[in-house]
Amino acid sequence: MKAGGAVEGLRLSVLDQSPVAEGSTPGQALQNSIELARLVDGLGYRRFWMSEHHAMDTLACTAPEVMLARIGAETKRIRIGSGGIMLPHYTSLKVAECFRMLHALYPDRVDLGIGRAPGGGPIEALALKRERKTQMLDDFPEQVSELLAFLGHTFPADHPFAGIRVSPEMPGGPDVWMLGSSMWSSAAAVEFGLPYSFAHFFSGFQTRAAIETYLRNFRPSEYRSGPEASVAVGVICAETQEEAEFLSSSVRLLQRRIRQNDRRPVASPEDALRELRQSGAVPMEEGEWPRYFVGTPALVKEQLEQMTEALGIGELIVNTIVWDQAKRLRSYELLAGAFGLSGL
């Protein structure tokens, strides 16, 4: 697979953030995630990843590993994983234990996506620290090395952790992915020889550069013989372009609010349109492609295929935020139909 090459058999996966709709509750948002996982498992999506966010009224999932334990039991074939675990908040051993637990429960179905973002603001990052008298170390590469060594039993014989057996001990293990939205994460994926997923829906400014750099520089490793890359994109599909645009007003307002550090729940389309009109035009997005692809299934399919062909990747991870859960489920159904997915 190389940048700019045509991609056949494009795979679709899901990134769910458990969005909280205004007028609903975080508990209902988590139940919505379970319902979505059941649906996309049957539709033939490849993966179902859960994100990690802290102290937000907007997004309910603070502990992907807890949700994945439930979702694995509610699904049959889809891979489940974190999109991602914010590694600086944890010890590598504890993350390895959590995901070995998941692997023991659901063998060969578990992805461990890791990132170094805080998943919240600086105060939340401070509150998550066990030791607060010193600055948080920027030792993410060391953490990744340690995590991989725990999972693969590859500490040198003279290392103090060499004798630790990460329970439950089972053949195989979770598949580790590097996640990010910058050139730094692209370089880190190359350094460790890991598969890589770029969060285009979060920031689309460096998407092409990050993916092409990863594909061009990747060297075979014990984790992959060749590069494997995906891009996470926002998608809203509806039967008509007008309905899709109407539904997208909720996420357009959400993006504006996030830039203003406003973490309120997802507004209804009617309320979102009203607030957007009052606050003026939303600034133009930077980047080659929109962060959210909005429209009929045929239009969205065409645009997504153009993007994946330009990038030379074989998988897209779809993130859909709308106010109405039924409309969210329908968007994933329409997209699956457009791409001819099959759950068989």
Side-chain angles (χ1 to χ4, degrees):
M1 180 167 47
K2 59 184 180 180
V7 176
E8 296 182 0
L10 180 65
R11 293 175 295 179
L12 296 181
S13 295
V14 176
L15 170 66
D16 182 40
Q17 298 176 293
S18 297
V20 182
E22 188 174 359
S24 185
T25 67
Q28 184 58 55
L30 297 175
Q31 292 298 324
N32 290 345
S33 293
I34 295 168
E35 183 182 22
L36 175 61
R38 292 194 203 104
L39 175 72
V40 297
D41 181 39
L43 289 174
Y45 283 80
R46 171 68 172 155
R47 311 174 198 277
F48 188 89
W49 285 0
M50 296 288 308
S51 68
E52 174 187 335
H53 293 87
H54 301 283
M56 290 187 180
D57 292 336
T58 312
L59 307 173
C61 184
T62 57
E65 67 278 15
V66 175
M67 283 296 292
L68 295 175
R70 171 68 183 275
I71 285 169
E74 296 279 349
T75 55
K76 295 181 173 61
R77 46 149 296 277
I78 199 167
R79 294 189 65 87
I80 59 173
S82 56
I85 291 293
M86 300 297 100
L87 196 55
H89 297 318
Y90 312 104
T91 67
S92 297
L93 175 57
K94 184 57 181 175
V95 173
E97 288 178 333
C98 286
F99 278 79
R100 275 220 165 270
M101 279 283 293
L102 288 169
H103 171 69
L105 290 168
Y106 312 111
D108 301 319
R109 287 181 58 195
V110 177
D111 297 327
L112 170 49
I114 54 175
R116 69 167 187 167
I123 297 300
E124 289 80 21
L126 176 64
L128 284 162
K129 285 182 61 179
R130 178 64 182 88
E131 172 54 63
R132 298 169 189 162
K133 295 179 182 178
T134 59
Q135 284 190 323
M136 181 179 286
L137 294 175
D138 187 9
D139 61 347
F140 184 75
E142 290 78 8
Q143 277 193 294
V144 176
S145 295
E146 195 172 272
L147 174 65
L148 294 173
F150 275 127
L151 291 172
H153 313 300
T154 55
F155 283 109
D158 59 351
H159 194 283
F161 297 159
I164 296 178
R165 309 298 291 180
V166 181
S167 298
E169 184 62 41
M170 293 281 291
D175 194 25
V176 182
W177 283 69
M178 183 66 68
L179 313 182
S181 58
S182 69
M183 297 302 297
W184 189 96
S185 58
S186 174
V190 169
E191 177 184 350
F192 289 101
L194 295 173
Y196 178 51
S197 188
F198 187 90
H200 175 82
F201 76 97
F202 178 76
S203 174
F205 184 64
Q206 294 182 315
T207 304
R208 182 188 285 272
I211 292 295
E212 289 185 349
T213 297
Y214 168 77
L215 295 176
R216 182 174 60 249
N217 296 326
F218 186 89
R219 299 179 301 275
S221 71
E222 61 184 292
Y223 310 107
R224 286 294 189 279
S225 59
E228 183 177 356
S230 66
V231 170
V233 297
V235 170
I236 296 176
C237 278
E239 276 81 359
T240 67
Q241 186 69 32
E242 292 74 19
E243 183 185 7
E245 295 286 353
F246 175 68
L247 295 174
S248 74
S249 60
S250 298
V251 80
R252 288 193 289 119
L253 177 61
L254 178 63
Q255 291 170 343
R256 162 169 277 182
R257 284 177 171 179
I258 288 174
R259 286 194 293 268
Q260 299 168 342
N261 199 30
D262 182 343
R263 303 178 183 181
R264 281 179 288 169
V266 180
S268 69
E270 295 85 355
D271 290 343
L273 285 171
R274 190 178 307 113
E275 186 171 331
L276 287 167
R277 282 194 297 265
Q278 291 171 350
S279 55
V282 177
M284 291 291 292
E285 292 183 351
E286 291 182 322
E288 192 170 348
W289 300 280
R291 289 192 288 156
Y292 251 80
F293 294 81
V294 177
T296 62
L299 175 63
V300 170
K301 177 177 184 288
E302 179 184 359
Q303 293 175 338
L304 293 179
E305 286 180 335
Q306 289 172 353
M307 182 186 192
T308 54
E309 183 174 347
L311 293 174
I313 59 174
E315 182 174 0
L316 286 174
I317 302 179
V318 177
N319 173 250
T320 298
I321 294 181
V322 295
W323 179 75
D324 186 323
Q325 169 72 351
K327 299 293 186 182
R328 188 162 77 121
L329 299 178
R330 184 58 176 155
S331 180
Y332 281 106
E333 287 177 338
L334 292 171
L335 189 66
F339 278 92
L341 297 190
S342 172
L344 300 179

